[in-house]
Amino acid sequence: MPEKQISEEAQWFLRNLQKLQDDFAESVGAQIVTTDKEGNLVTKMSGAQRVCQLIMATEKGKERCSNAYKTALSLVKTMKEPAFMDCHAGYASLWVPIKIKGEIVGSITGCGGRYDRGENSEQLREKFSKLADELGISDKEDFLKAAVDEIRPVTEEEMKKRSERLAKLVGILAEETALKELFGR
């Protein structure tokens, strides 16, 4: 979140962006955050999922999430289009670029659901049990409940629709001057 003094217009944009992000995260059951082009947070995390909180509670989990984030942000900067992929833990993530006059100035990152790969519950438990061991998650049963039972399958088409809606909503809110101020241009 910006700590510098920002204009009233930028404050208005930031408040409304946070509210939009919070509402969107709640409606689709996902977590969302907005960053500048360097990966610094512009908003607070919305809709943090329990499974992700458990992963991020470990050093290896934090490191893997950070590395996945940097890779995806680099991809979005190169493609200049939304990107869809599995995160290191096997969950569906989306990366929507924020642009000013064609230049990437930030990104909206969303994570929620897992792509249906035809795995049954037993296969998912085995997959996430290995992940829990790799990451050093102490309460494996709690993690498995969150990883398998709380995260619902999602299609790539659904993720694309989410990214389109997010991009449109941010575009409606955004005024170029507020974007420049908040995203450090």
Side-chain angles (χ1 to χ4, degrees):
M1 297 282 298
E3 293 181 17
K4 60 185 178 184
Q5 287 292 99
I6 57 175
S7 69
E8 191 174 312
E9 179 182 7
Q11 289 175 32
W12 178 89
F13 174 78
L14 188 57
R15 276 192 311 274
N16 283 285
L17 177 60
Q18 185 70 55
K19 181 172 178 5
L20 174 132
Q21 185 181 286
D22 292 345
D23 291 348
F24 192 83
E26 185 178 338
S27 74
V28 298
Q31 61 185 37
I32 301 171
V33 70
T34 302
T35 62
D36 66 18
K37 66 183 175 184
E38 303 304 322
N40 301 308
L41 295 180
V42 173
T43 61
K44 297 176 189 171
M45 176 71 71
S46 302
Q49 296 180 26
R50 196 165 69 89
V51 68
C52 295
Q53 292 172 344
L54 293 169
I55 290 169
M56 292 290 291
T58 71
E59 286 305 313
K60 283 186 182 176
K62 277 187 219 175
E63 182 180 331
R64 287 185 182 180
C65 287
S66 178
N67 289 339
Y69 180 78
K70 288 175 186 172
T71 299
L73 190 55
S74 176
L75 181 62
V76 166
K77 285 180 186 177
T78 303
M79 293 177 25
K80 297 191 177 194
E81 296 295 328
F84 308 92
M85 62 190 67
D86 285 348
C87 74
H88 75 92
Y91 294 106
S93 60
L94 62 85
W95 304 79
V96 180
I98 298 172
K99 302 176 193 177
I100 297 177
K101 295 182 181 177
E103 183 183 336
I104 305 292
V105 296
S107 175
I108 301 170
T109 304
C111 187
R114 68 174 172 276
Y115 293 121
D116 188 351
R117 306 272 191 249
E119 300 159 307
N120 64 32
S121 182
E122 186 176 306
Q123 291 168 318
L124 288 170
R125 286 184 65 80
E126 183 178 324
K127 173 182 167 179
F128 289 114
S129 180
K130 287 179 185 174
L131 180 64
D133 291 341
E134 288 172 18
L135 298 178
I137 293 175
S138 57
D139 189 343
K140 190 188 281 190
E141 281 309 309
D142 185 42
F143 176 73
L144 291 174
K145 179 177 178 7
V148 176
D149 300 335
E150 295 176 12
I151 304 295
R152 66 178 181 82
V154 65
T155 65
E156 190 167 324
E157 184 61 31
E158 190 175 350
M159 292 297 279
K160 284 181 182 177
K161 285 180 183 176
R162 289 177 183 181
S163 74
E164 290 167 2
R165 285 186 290 182
L166 274 172
K168 283 179 186 175
L169 291 169
V170 170
I172 290 167
L173 273 181
E175 289 294 327
E176 190 174 321
T177 53
L179 283 176
K180 283 181 181 177
E181 187 175 346
L182 286 171
F183 291 95
R185 284 215 36 205

